[in-house]
Structures are given as C-alpha cells and as structure tokens.
C-alpha cells in the first residue's frame, strides 16, 4: 500500500510539473517578439523566423542574411536551457549579438514561451 501511494505521488508530481508552464500564456508572451519574429511561417522580419526553433542550431536560417558574427560562431543549439539564458538577457548571454530586446526577466514568462514553442514542434 505504501508503495502504491509513493507511485501515485510520484506520478502526480511529474504531471504537476508538466502543467506548470502555460502554453496559452506563452503565446501571449510571444507578442513581445512579434515586431521582429514570425513563428508560424518561414518569414523573416527584423529577426529570423522561429519555425522549429526547439532543436534548431543557432543562425541556421539560410534565407536570413543579417545574423551577427557572434551568433554564427556561438555553437548554440536552441533548447529549453539555451533559450532560457538568451531570452533572460540576450546581450549578456551573447556578447556582440544583435537582438535588440531587453529580455524576459520573469522565469515564468520564459518557461511559458518555451512551452509555447515546444507545443508548435
Ligand atoms: C527588436 C527586434 C527583436 C525582438 C523584439 C526580438 N528579437 Fe529575437 N532576434 C532579433 C534579431 C535581429 C536576431 C538575430 C540576432 C543576431 O544575429 O545576433 C534575433 C535572434 C533570435 C533568436 C535566434 C534565432 C536563430 O536563428 O538562431 C531567437 C531564438 C530569438 N531571437 C527569439 C526571440 C524571442 C523569443 C523574442 C521575444 C521574447 C525575441 N526574439 C524578440 C530581433 C528581435
């Protein structure tokens, strides 16, 4: 019995954390990026499109010609960890980067927008 309860608690905490990030809220956070980024079409604006961003190597959109040298040489692959760092403070995370965005200071905003990107994969 004790084992069953332990398993139930473990399952509950796993599904609990899966719901901690909120995709709908992440879509709202993305409004801050829309001036420069499109995520549902391979269309570049001031910034490169973000289609398939999770798992994408940095600076790999060939139709986007304005990448900074810093991003091209970064060796980043965009996943939850690199996006979290970059979006918190783009200029600090990538010295010499060209993204003119102050950053998402709230952890929750970053978690939610990353969940939103993951939901689009
Ligand atoms: C003022 C315009 C602007 C805003 C606002 C902006 N970005 Fe960017 N973004 C850029 C530019 C320009 C680059 C290219 C940076 C470079 O080459 O150093 C970029 C690059 C990126 C990259 C790397 C893409 C790649 O192909 O490697 C990601 C990821 C990204 N932005 C996400 C976001 C997200 C998420 C937001 C909103 C929270 C955001 N950006 C807001 C202009 C912007």
């Amino acid at each position: 019995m004790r084992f069953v309860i332990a398993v139930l608690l473990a399952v509950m905490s796993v599904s609990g954390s899966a719901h901690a990030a909120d995709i709908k809220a992440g879509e709202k956070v993305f409004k801050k990026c829309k001036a420069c980024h499109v995520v549902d079409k391979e269309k570049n604006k001031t910034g490169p499109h973000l289609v398939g961003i999770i798992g994408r190597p940095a600076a790999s959109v060939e139709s986007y010609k304005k990448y900074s040298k810093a991003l091209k040489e970064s060796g980043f692959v965009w996943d939850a960890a690199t996006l979290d760092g970059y979006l918190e403070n783009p200029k600090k995370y990538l010295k010499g980067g060209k993204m003119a965005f102050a950053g998402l200071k709230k952890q929750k905003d970053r978690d939610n927008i990353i969940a939103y990107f993951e939901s689009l994969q």
Side-chain angles (χ1 to χ4, degrees), residues 33 36-37 46 56 58-59 64 67-68 78 87 97-101:
C33 325
C36 305
H37 292 288
T46 305
R56 209 170 88 180
Y64 183 77
Y67 282 121
S68 63
W78 297 117
L87 297 179
K98 285 205 316 196
M99 177 152 117
F101 180 70

